Amino acid sequence: MRKSDFTLPTLDDLFSTQAERDDAKLERVRNIPLAELHPFKGHPFKVQNNEEMQRMIESIRKVGAITPALARPLPDGGYELISGHRRLAACQVLGIETMPVIVRELSDDEAVIAMVDANLQRETILPSEKAFAYKMKLDALNHQGMTSGQVGQKWSREKMADEALDSGRQIQRYIRLTYLIPELLSMVDDGKIAFNPAVELSYLDSYQQRAVLDAMALNDCTPSHAQSIRLKKLAQEGLLDDQIIYAVLAETKPNQQEQLKFKREELRKYFPSGYTEEQMRRDIIKGLELLKRQRERNRDAR
């Protein structure tokens, strides 16, 4: 006996029209409780308490959260936030209980791509954030296209470059930063290590990178681009050890000049508590200019 293709209608089918069922599937902005919104898994973008964040908090305080976030439903209930993590944090600071959200059904790869594309529009992005975001999107594109090897990787980078401000080559260089140990990557974010040397250092293994970190502390220096290239070449030739790393970083750079250094604590007491380092530097220069003029006046009066 042939199995019947007949299936019983659901209660929704019995008591709703096709138009109502189609309408229920349409995307719309919903006000969702903050407790039901969960961060995106592996989200590489940080929520920082900077000027950009303060402007957002002040804007939401005045007019509310106007721009909706984007989320997808989770299998066990609640929603995974794809874009709008800073808006969520701002609403939490202000004690707001709900925020507008567009709920969209997305696969894992689609969600990663949407998350990266939305957050790359931020005004300020750290190198580490861009590095891990590009890597996540590259992996998602490769998985979607089921590509592998250098040809597939190149195709995915070129596709990403068409949608971003960075070239495919630059995207590849950003992704190299994900191979840095956390301490070195933090120094890149803080501007203590330049981007180009950091890319070269990423080709060293973790033990060699830690040796570089120790040599930097001992010599009170950071590697130049040329030094980083040498370290990479020596590592590839199997000749890099702790002593060579220390010797390379101990070298005086051609453009290196002796610096006059002060501890922050020595200067901080002379300035208001809210002063940034740039404001302190500016006022120090102004003070030195006034001191110079006073000395010149005293000399002319003799």
Side-chain angles (χ1 to χ4, degrees):
M1 181 173 143
R2 187 173 67 87
K3 185 178 179 181
S4 172
D5 293 330
F6 176 77
T7 56
L8 291 173
T10 65
L11 289 176
D12 285 344
D13 291 336
L14 288 172
F15 297 103
S16 64
T17 66
Q18 184 62 45
E20 288 172 334
R21 291 193 293 273
D22 291 341
D23 181 68
K25 295 179 182 179
L26 294 176
E27 287 185 3
R28 55 170 53 84
V29 177
R30 310 180 194 176
N31 282 318
I32 294 181
L34 303 191
E36 296 182 19
L37 297 172
H38 306 284
F40 193 90
K41 185 178 180 180
H43 190 266
F45 297 93
K46 302 177 178 68
V47 176
Q48 302 185 73
N49 187 23
N50 52 20
E51 291 183 11
E52 193 176 348
M53 184 63 180
Q54 290 303 314
R55 288 198 300 269
M56 178 175 288
I57 291 174
E58 190 57 31
S59 174
I60 293 176
R61 188 197 310 276
K62 291 179 179 178
V63 299
I66 297 175
T67 304
L70 177 65
R72 65 171 179 166
L74 290 168
D76 298 327
Y79 304 89
E80 184 176 41
L81 205 56
I82 292 170
S83 69
H85 291 76
R86 289 184 303 171
R87 272 165 279 169
L88 173 63
C91 289
Q92 289 171 334
V93 168
L94 295 169
I96 298 173
E97 296 183 354
T98 65
M99 63 182 283
V101 179
I102 296 173
V103 177
R104 181 178 300 167
E105 293 283 352
L106 294 169
S107 68
D108 290 345
D109 292 331
E110 290 171 338
V112 166
I113 293 169
M115 180 274 295
V116 171
D117 288 346
N119 285 280
L120 283 177
Q121 307 304 317
R122 289 186 178 189
E123 183 178 328
T124 305
I125 304 176
L126 295 173
S128 65
E129 294 174 330
K130 188 177 281 192
F132 282 101
Y134 278 149
K135 186 177 189 303
M136 290 178 72
K137 183 173 180 179
L138 182 67
D139 291 343
L141 286 172
N142 285 335
H143 187 257
Q144 275 190 336
M146 299 300 175
T147 57
S148 61
Q150 292 184 350
V151 174
Q153 293 278 336
K154 183 179 179 182
W155 174 86
S156 297
R157 288 198 301 271
E158 289 174 351
K159 179 176 174 58
M160 289 167 60
D162 291 338
E163 302 165 353
L165 296 176
D166 294 307
S167 66
R169 170 61 178 160
Q170 189 70 349
I171 287 171
Q172 182 183 24
R173 286 162 60 75
Y174 266 109
I175 292 175
R176 282 301 317 175
L177 297 183
T178 65
Y179 293 89
L180 289 173
I181 60 174
E183 295 88 342
L184 290 179
L185 187 55
S186 293
M187 296 181 77
V188 179
D189 281 343
D190 294 338
K192 296 176 181 177
I193 299 179
F195 178 79
N196 287 332
V199 171
E200 305 300 330
L201 293 177
S202 72
Y203 289 91
L204 277 56
D205 63 36
S206 60
Y207 178 86
Q208 292 166 339
Q209 289 185 36
R210 294 203 175 277
V212 168
L213 193 65
D214 292 340
M216 288 167 57
L218 288 170
N219 291 293
D220 191 20
C221 68
T222 57
S224 67
H225 191 202
Q227 288 174 326
S228 299
I229 291 173
R230 285 174 58 198
L231 293 174
K232 172 187 172 182
K233 187 173 185 297
L234 288 166
Q236 291 173 334
E237 293 172 350
L239 302 174
L240 193 62
D241 59 23
D242 294 15
Q243 291 183 339
I244 292 177
I245 290 172
Y246 181 86
V248 170
L249 292 186
E251 297 170 351
T252 302
K253 303 179 184 68
N255 61 345
Q256 186 173 343
Q257 297 179 355
E258 186 177 353
Q259 297 180 345
L260 182 63
K261 296 183 179 181
F262 294 92
K263 292 182 179 179
R264 286 190 181 89
E265 295 74 18
E266 294 176 334
L267 299 174
R268 181 66 69 182
K269 60 184 178 182
Y270 297 106
F271 299 93
S273 58
Y275 253 42
T276 64
E277 290 189 9
E278 176 58 27
Q279 288 173 315
M280 291 168 57
R281 187 194 68 80
R282 185 186 60 208
D283 282 7
I284 289 171
I285 296 298
K286 286 182 180 178
L288 292 173
E289 287 288 344
L290 292 173
L291 181 61
K292 178 183 176 183
R293 292 173 191 170
Q294 182 64 47
R295 286 175 176 168
E296 290 174 349
R297 286 195 294 269
N298 292 342
R299 185 183 61 219
D300 294 340
R302 290 174 185 170

